[in-house]
Amino acid sequence: MECALIIIEIARLRKRFSKKRLHLRIAHIIIVEIEFLPEDKQMKLAVQTSRILNVYGIDEGFRMIAEAGFDGVDANLDHCLPGPLIRSGELNTFFDQSDADILAFLKPYAEAAKKYGVAFSQAHAPFPCRVANDETNAYVWKALKKTAMMCDYLDCRYMVVHSGFMPEGEREYPDEWDYNMRMYSDLMPALRKYNVTCCLENLFTRWRGKIMEGVCSNADEAARYVDTLNSMAGEALFGFCFDVGHANLTSKDVYRYLITIGKRLKILHVHDNNGVEDEHLFPYMGIVNWDRFCRGMKEIGFSGTMSFETFNGLKTFDPALAPELLRLLNATGRLFIQRIEG
């Protein structure tokens, strides 16, 4: 609308001013109009690359994402060092490659994203970040630094790094806090070098098959982690990624969690589940209270990217339906944004 008004005003002024004075007047109008345009605070929408690029291919996957209306992606860089390999100790050699070879691997992804106008809104680093093997942990720490480099290459400014904890009921492992302070401190130089913000995430663990609270599942603990790390860094190198599905699994009120975490929130993992398993479904396929989610987001004034982590929602249906499912997911996100910003 504002651009149309500028064009109309320019057409009207052509009859009144000399060419030189007209150019000056046009410049003044444009400056004034831009100065008073309402700030574009509309949130963006993203979807994770898992179950899209690995199923439909890089070019076709990005085309589908763009045509569904998404602005960006959550890059699953964790697939470069899959979790099962970390847990087993049978590591691959991806992060032993030279930096040049690692970035060459990313080139087709960067080119396809640029071709279809899709941004890399955020990325997921390899996890878990702690197992009962010091050599494996050291390799993962190295991979985290390389992942920050990969993010910079993709112009991706947010990277999720899971806090380290011992699985299967060892939630109160005595050195958990100290371990994570060391791990994140070790990552700080790479974050500065590559201009990437590291985001912690609310996690869960299991004990004899039952889901239990994990690191940062408590919002006060999450706030303490982020604030302590930024104080240690002397700058804002750390933020938070709120995983809606994980909050639901650990019986957290999504509204209260968001209010507590507040401005520390930088990115999101939006997905649904039945409250029993980490299903990663589309919103409304589980039991998350999405009204309270939108209310919390509205009250903290979040204006970043809403990113869906819903790979199992796609997996539930025939692959031929993926384009329609992505459009449905996008429409759901736009509905949430309307409720948050309205």
Side-chain angles (χ1 to χ4, degrees):
M1 176 62 74
E2 287 82 4
C3 290
L5 291 175
I6 291 173
I7 293 170
I8 293 170
E9 178 68 359
I10 290 171
R12 185 177 65 82
L13 291 173
R14 289 182 65 182
K15 301 177 181 179
R16 295 177 47 199
F17 294 93
S18 67
K19 186 174 181 180
K20 182 177 181 180
R21 290 183 62 203
L22 175 61
H23 288 169
L24 292 173
R25 180 60 177 161
I26 290 171
H28 174 73
I29 292 170
I30 292 174
I31 291 170
V32 170
E33 288 290 341
I34 292 174
E35 199 171 282
F36 289 96
L37 286 180
E39 184 178 357
D40 182 13
K41 293 185 177 180
Q42 188 177 54
M43 294 166 58
K44 304 295 185 183
L45 276 181
V47 65
Q48 69 177 140
T49 57
S50 181
R51 196 62 195 177
I52 302 176
L53 303 189
N54 57 323
V55 173
Y56 304 96
I58 298 173
D59 189 86
E60 177 65 8
F62 274 108
R63 184 191 66 78
M64 289 169 54
I65 290 167
E67 289 186 356
F70 288 98
D71 307 294
V73 293
D74 179 349
N76 281 108
L77 300 182
D78 53 299
H79 290 185
C80 296
L81 179 60
L85 297 186
I86 297 173
R87 294 182 181 95
S88 69
E90 298 177 0
L91 303 172
N92 63 22
T93 59
F94 181 87
F95 288 102
D96 287 332
Q97 298 179 94
S98 68
D99 291 354
D101 286 341
I102 290 175
L103 298 184
F105 165 81
L106 290 178
K107 187 177 179 181
Y109 295 87
E111 290 176 343
K114 182 178 180 181
K115 175 180 176 180
Y116 293 108
V118 175
F120 288 92
S121 306
Q122 59 197 64
H124 212 308
F127 68 93
C129 294
R130 187 177 193 182
V131 294
N133 184 306
D134 290 340
E135 290 185 8
T136 299
N137 292 334
Y139 189 81
V140 173
W141 285 26
K142 180 179 80 170
L144 297 180
K145 299 169 194 172
K146 297 281 189 178
T147 305
M149 175 192 71
M150 296 168 75
C151 285
D152 183 48
Y153 176 82
L154 297 172
D155 196 22
C156 175
R157 297 301 148 201
Y158 295 102
M159 176 178 76
V160 175
V161 176
H162 284 190
S163 301
F165 64 95
M166 296 302 288
E168 291 300 331
E170 297 289 351
R171 176 65 184 93
E172 301 302 327
Y173 210 72
D175 68 340
E176 179 180 274
W177 174 270
D178 292 338
Y179 178 91
N180 286 315
M181 289 299 111
R182 293 196 306 273
M183 180 182 74
Y184 289 122
S185 295
D186 185 67
L187 188 56
M188 287 179 189
L191 298 176
R192 291 192 182 96
K193 178 178 179 179
Y194 297 114
N195 189 27
V196 173
T197 298
C198 174
C199 293
L200 286 70
E201 178 182 345
N202 51 311
L203 304 174
F204 68 91
T205 185
R206 296 177 187 269
W207 172 244
R208 295 179 178 175
K210 180 177 174 57
I211 285 180
M212 311 284 287
E213 292 189 355
V215 183
C216 293
S217 62
N218 179 283
D220 291 319
E221 179 187 43
R224 180 183 173 219
Y225 260 105
V226 174
D227 292 348
T228 301
L229 288 167
N230 283 332
S231 178
M232 291 170 59
E235 57 183 310
L237 294 180
F238 295 87
F240 196 72
C241 171
F242 181 53
D243 190 299
V244 183
H246 292 177
N248 191 52
L249 284 176
T250 53
S251 302
K252 301 302 180 184
D253 181 338
V254 292
Y255 168 78
R256 293 182 183 275
Y257 199 110
L258 286 166
I259 295 302
T260 300
I261 208 69
K263 296 299 182 183
R264 302 173 186 86
L265 182 67
K266 303 302 178 185
I267 56 177
L268 293 155
H269 283 168
V270 180
H271 56 104
D272 211 336
N273 59 57
N274 60 6
V276 180
E277 293 296 335
D278 191 26
E279 297 174 297
H280 287 270
L281 302 174
F282 288 9
Y284 302 111
M285 293 176 72
I287 64 170
V288 169
N289 189 325
W290 295 106
D291 289 339
R292 289 187 69 75
F293 168 73
C294 291
R295 177 184 167 193
M297 293 281 284
K298 183 181 183 70
E299 290 191 18
I300 66 172
F302 184 80
S303 59
T305 297
M306 182 184 297
S307 187
F308 289 104
E309 197 179 41
T310 48
F311 58 93
N312 276 334
L314 289 172
K315 189 177 179 181
T316 303
F317 295 87
D318 190 286
L321 294 173
E324 286 75 17
L325 291 168
L326 286 173
R327 284 193 284 271
L328 171 62
L329 190 61
N330 183 272
T332 306
R334 300 296 172 192
L335 175 65
F336 287 167
I337 290 174
Q338 182 181 15
R339 291 177 175 173
I340 293 166
E341 298 182 337

